Amino acid sequence: MSSPTAHNLVEVRGLRVVGSRPGEPDTTIVHGVDFDVACGEVLALIGESGSGKTTIALSLMGHARSGCRISGGTIRVGDTDVRSLSAKGLAALRGRKVAYIAQSAAAAFNPSRAILDQVIESALIHGTLSKPAAQAKAIELFRALALPEPEKIGKRYPHQVSGGQLQRLMAAMAMITDPELVILDEPTTALDVTTQIDVLQAFKRVIKEFGMTAVYVSHDLAVVAQMADRILVLSDGQIREAGATGQILHAPAHPYTQSLIAAVTPQRAVCTSGEPAPLSGEALQARRASDAPLLEVRRVMAGYGRKDAQGLPAKVILNDVDLRIGRAQTVGVIGESGSGKTTLAKVIAGLVPASGGSLLLDGEPLPADLNRRTREQFRRIQIVFQNADTALNPVHTVERTLARPLAFYHGIKGAKAKARVAELLELVRLPAALASRSTSELSGGQKQRVNLARALAAEPDLILCDEVTSALDTVVGAAILDLLRDLQRKLGVSYVFITHDIAKVRAISDDIVVLYAGHRVETGSREALCAPPFHPYSHLLVSSAPELRAGWLDEASQRCHQPLAPIGPSTDNPELCTFLDRCSLRVDGVCNHAAPSVRTLENGAQVLCHRSEADLLSFQTPHEAFAYAQVERA
């Protein structure tokens, strides 16, 4: 650790943060941490959930979350002793000298106020700029952050912009006062991979142009590799290792750092790992019991809003989608936000009625309307939602949470239910002692395991996993994937695994479906989605998955923003390719005039595209061609 110098903007010595509950002794959360941040440096705080990284970052503003307090140490930002400040002094510090960019931009904005008014509010409160000057500077920041229509976007309301745009607008809000230090707390965790590239590139460019000092909090080492000069690796409120980014990524010294690196599954390991571990006897019997699929989705259409004379909703989300799920099989569904992934899961679960097409469970029609399904059909198809915090009742104990489906589906109560709850907790690798705790007391990974155990309590044939690892850190997410695979081997359960992360979908899926704007643009085995040829949209997703090396972001920005081939106006054919406006392989007079047809490639994948297999195979950069060749050679 470097010693304090005049060149350090931030100096922290002996920082200690404790949590306390009435009648209980204090629990130490951060144990005497020392670190510095040099002027103009980007320092990353990396670690699992509960490692103390956000707690440490918030302490730089003199803030501790509810139930916690800073109990020791010194914190200096510039010439300010943060711990000596009064409440008024802290208010003057926050948003002026130290700015904070939170994980959830949606929660940071008031939905009833125009964006520009909220972005400039901090400058007006601190008196750093007049209103006209603040508005002019906000537009300058919008332009620097590569936001569309920088002169107009501020007039919109938060719900009228995308998640990626809102995240960049929150960055503008933080930077409007020219703060000395910016804290970025997991700012891209909730974004899909293609949006993440744009947001990271915008953040990196603005930090460099304005010469800002930043602390970047994340659990994603691949993202940190693109942003940070130095990394502090944290666990249990202690610094396990500190060093330059290159050293941490390529020569980690501490075993904990090595475990974090190992949890970032490289593409080569996923794509050359061969067949998954064999199924157990019961699971294998389930897969072989019949050649018929467990569930079929046939030409399903779905959406929201009032239906027209043809029965189609005002807003169509899914358009003519097919899906086939075998017993003890995992089908991955991947795509950006808005592609229709969650709507597909809700259609299968009956939460959104299909407007067209059909669902077959064991070859028998499955009613699209939830109210027409039987209790047995409810039992056989369960859904695990993305956010376990909102899916679980925080005042209920784990035992009560798991006992409800046991009583509803199987009539199990009393001592038998208590014993079965213990078995379910063992299945999801949680200690039986957790049964008496309320779900609000659990960590994110524990909550997601309880969420999964609740689905397993029904003894289902199919579980719909909707972004179940997206809010979890790398190590916990990897553990959940391992748990899902283990349960499938033991129980023969099938999964629909929904995600925007290509590495995760490759790691767990037998077959993969790629959705774009509600259309199925590619379907194939895991192996087929490991190397070209791809549909152009699949190629974009693959190219957008962060790699664990510095410099990847700049290369990816070039690959993902290739110049588009110029084309003339499109016909009014509603069946035209939905990816037309973003596709650099589009062909004038073809893609903008005729609907694409499904073609089967040599690797068995099916793509919805006009281009030939040779065209799709050649659609890769020299770097990608080398990388795929290395995978094949391995």
Side-chain angles (χ1 to χ4, degrees):
M1 200 73 63
S2 58
S3 59
T5 74
H7 300 295
N8 291 330
L9 176 67
V10 176
E11 297 182 347
V12 175
R13 296 290 178 270
L15 174 63
R16 187 169 182 268
V17 181
V18 299
S20 57
R21 291 181 178 178
E24 296 183 15
D26 288 347
T27 300
T28 303
I29 298 170
V30 176
H31 302 258
V33 164
D34 299 339
F35 67 93
D36 305 319
V37 187
C39 292
E41 181 181 43
V42 178
L43 176 73
L45 305 181
I46 197 97
E48 299 173 77
S49 297
S51 63
K53 54 188 186 295
T54 294
T55 301
I56 291 170
L58 290 174
S59 72
L60 301 179
M61 300 191 295
H63 177 71
R65 288 181 285 196
S66 178
C68 301
R69 59 186 172 83
I70 301 171
S71 63
T74 61
I75 305 165
R76 298 194 68 85
V77 178
D79 56 2
T80 302
D81 180 354
V82 175
R83 290 206 64 207
S84 69
L85 294 177
S86 63
K88 186 177 180 180
L90 287 173
L93 173 86
R94 298 167 185 166
R96 174 64 188 92
K97 195 164 189 171
V98 183
Y100 181 74
I101 301 175
Q103 178 175 341
S104 175
F109 279 87
N110 185 331
S112 65
R113 295 181 61 202
I115 288 168
L116 183 61
D117 291 340
Q118 299 185 66
V119 168
I120 67 172
E121 186 175 33
S122 183
L124 301 183
I125 289 172
H126 291 286
T128 60
L129 295 169
S130 65
K131 187 171 183 178
Q135 291 173 334
K137 182 164 185 180
I139 293 171
E140 177 189 337
L141 284 167
F142 296 163
R143 189 173 289 108
L145 289 162
L147 284 157
E149 300 183 296
E151 291 81 9
K152 298 179 180 179
I153 195 169
K155 297 177 182 177
R156 300 179 193 171
Y157 288 82
H159 70 276
Q160 295 176 313
V161 300
S162 71
Q165 290 170 355
L166 203 59
Q167 202 73 36
R168 281 176 277 173
L169 288 162
M170 186 165 61
M173 182 192 296
M175 296 172 180
I176 193 76
T177 58
D178 290 327
E180 294 180 30
L181 176 68
V182 178
I183 299 168
L184 300 98
D185 190 359
E186 302 271 16
T188 64
T189 296
L191 303 178
D192 57 59
V193 287
T194 52
T195 305
Q196 178 176 252
I197 285 180
D198 294 335
V199 173
L200 287 176
Q201 188 67 38
F203 284 171
K204 188 171 184 177
R205 181 174 54 250
V206 169
I207 287 171
K208 184 177 181 180
E209 285 180 5
F210 289 80
M212 291 182 171
T213 304
V215 171
Y216 197 103
V217 177
S218 181
H219 63 257
D220 192 330
L221 275 164
V223 167
V224 163
Q226 316 313 314
M227 301 296 295
D229 300 303
R230 282 194 308 125
I231 297 175
L232 298 188
V233 181
L234 298 156
S235 72
D236 299 324
Q238 300 180 63
I239 297 175
R240 301 302 179 184
E241 187 168 356
T245 299
Q247 178 263 306
I248 295 291
L249 296 180
H250 304 299
H254 195 279
Y256 177 71
T257 310
Q258 293 166 2
S259 73
L260 289 182
I261 299 289
V264 183
T265 306
Q267 176 176 293
R268 183 182 304 178
V270 172
C271 292
T272 60
S273 57
E275 289 297 315
L279 299 170
S280 69
E282 289 183 17
L284 192 60
Q285 266 189 333
R287 181 173 283 188
R288 292 174 175 171
S290 170
D291 291 333
L294 172 65
L295 181 81
E296 280 188 278
V297 176
R298 294 182 177 176
R299 306 199 67 178
V300 157
M301 298 190 72
Y304 304 92
R306 182 175 294 179
K307 295 181 179 179
D308 61 17
Q310 286 75 40
L312 296 179
K315 177 66 174 175
V316 175
I317 304 296
L318 292 178
N319 198 325
D320 204 23
V321 171
D322 292 336
L323 196 66
R324 186 182 188 277
I325 305 159
R327 288 169 176 75
Q329 182 189 35
T330 299
V331 174
V333 179
I334 190 165
E336 296 170 307
S337 300
S339 62
K341 306 185 301 293
T342 296
T343 299
L344 176 60
K346 288 182 176 179
V347 166
I348 295 172
L351 300 175
V352 173
S355 305
S358 60
L359 302 172
L360 299 177
L361 183 63
D362 274 338
E364 298 294 324
L366 180 68
D369 190 342
L370 192 69
N371 295 322
R372 293 170 51 211
R373 293 190 183 181
T374 66
R375 183 176 297 196
E376 177 65 3
Q377 288 168 335
F378 290 157
R379 182 193 69 77
R380 296 186 66 190
I381 300 176
Q382 296 289 308
I383 187 166
V384 178
F385 293 101
Q386 174 179 354
N387 192 338
D389 284 321
T390 56
L392 300 174
N393 189 324
V395 301
H396 287 179
T397 63
V398 171
E399 183 173 354
R400 183 177 178 184
T401 299
L402 300 184
R404 293 187 69 184
L406 292 176
F408 182 76
Y409 291 116
H410 306 294
I412 299 175
K413 299 179 180 179
K416 286 186 177 180
K418 197 176 189 71
R420 181 57 179 154
V421 166
E423 291 173 0
L424 288 167
L425 290 176
E426 184 179 358
L427 261 182
V428 296
R429 305 175 192 169
L430 287 175
L434 284 185
S436 61
R437 295 176 61 178
S438 68
T439 59
S440 62
E441 296 179 84
L442 307 181
S443 70
Q446 289 173 331
K447 287 176 184 176
Q448 200 60 287
R449 288 170 189 261
V450 171
N451 213 6
L452 181 58
R454 181 172 59 181
L456 290 170
E459 298 180 15
D461 297 314
L462 174 66
I463 299 179
L464 309 169
C465 301
D466 186 10
E467 297 275 16
V468 294
T469 62
S470 65
L472 303 177
D473 62 60
T474 306
V475 173
V476 176
I480 293 293
L481 289 183
D482 181 58
L483 173 62
L484 290 172
R485 285 189 291 259
D486 184 53
L487 291 170
Q488 188 171 67
R489 286 192 293 269
K490 290 177 179 176
L491 307 176
V493 66
S494 299
Y495 301 122
V496 172
F497 188 83
I498 291 168
T499 184
H500 61 255
D501 189 321
I502 189 71
K504 287 188 174 69
V505 83
R506 282 169 168 166
I508 195 171
S509 303
D510 299 298
D511 294 325
I512 299 173
V513 173
V514 182
L515 290 182
Y516 182 73
H519 289 75
R520 189 186 67 167
V521 297
E522 182 161 4
T523 308
S525 66
R526 177 187 64 164
E527 291 74 18
L529 267 292
C530 277
F534 301 128
H535 184 280
Y537 176 61
S538 303
H539 184 274
L540 176 63
L541 291 177
V542 170
S543 300
S544 301
E547 295 179 13
L548 200 62
R549 60 183 178 85
W552 171 86
L553 180 61
D554 296 329
E555 295 171 13
S557 299
Q558 294 172 8
R559 288 199 302 272
C560 298
H561 297 94
Q562 296 183 41
L564 302 182
I567 58 172
S570 301
T571 66
D572 58 0
N573 183 349
E575 299 301 316
L576 291 180
C577 175
T578 50
F579 194 56
L580 177 65
D581 292 339
R582 297 172 66 186
C583 183
S584 56
L585 283 184
R586 61 194 186 180
V587 181
D588 190 21
V590 177
C591 298
N592 52 338
H593 287 180
S597 58
V598 176
R599 64 172 71 241
T600 302
L601 308 178
E602 283 189 13
N603 60 16
Q606 294 183 321
V607 296
L608 186 66
C609 189
H610 288 288
R611 284 289 195 168
S612 69
E613 182 161 351
D615 290 334
L616 297 175
L617 189 59
S618 66
F619 185 45
Q620 53 183 304
T621 66
H623 170 77
E624 290 169 328
F626 174 78
Y628 292 127
Q630 293 293 96
V631 169
E632 290 298 315
R633 192 173 295 117

